[in-house]
Amino acid sequence: MSSMRTLLSSGAMVAALGLGYGMLSIISPGEDRRRELVKNLPEANPMRMEETRKRNALVMQAIKEAAETNDNIAKGYGGPSK
């Protein structure tokens, strides 16, 4: 009886894994759709990529300046005054 239960549970697990893989292969985009998605990514546009690099450089500069000072810079940026 124990071997029958093990056999049935193993079969059920294999069936569940097969069903999951089948569903994944059905809903994943095809090669043409994948190419179209990659083409429309923001990183594909050189001008947009340069803007991102400049913004990242400014953020890193602000973080570096904040790390080098002992002042609480967050205290001066808006927020409710009490």
Side-chain angles (χ1 to χ4, degrees):
M1 194 65 166
S2 176
S3 62
M4 186 65 146
R5 188 179 318 156
T6 305
L7 189 61
L8 284 175
S9 63
S10 298
M13 288 199 318
V14 168
L17 287 173
L19 180 66
Y21 180 74
M23 289 175 60
L24 180 66
S25 65
I26 288 173
I27 61 172
S28 63
E31 188 63 32
D32 295 335
R33 177 75 175 135
R34 191 174 296 135
R35 280 193 200 121
E36 184 181 333
L37 287 172
V38 168
K39 185 177 73 172
N40 291 331
L41 285 175
E43 292 84 10
N45 185 348
M47 194 167 94
R48 176 85 183 258
M49 195 63 174
E50 186 60 33
E51 290 173 1
T52 303
R53 283 192 188 107
K54 287 179 183 177
R55 186 176 357 82
N56 288 346
L58 289 172
V59 168
M60 290 303 290
Q61 180 183 359
I63 291 173
K64 184 178 178 183
E65 290 173 2
E68 292 172 350
T69 184
N70 288 332
D71 296 338
N72 185 356
I73 63 167
K75 189 168 124 179
Y77 291 114
S81 333
K82 293 183 180 179

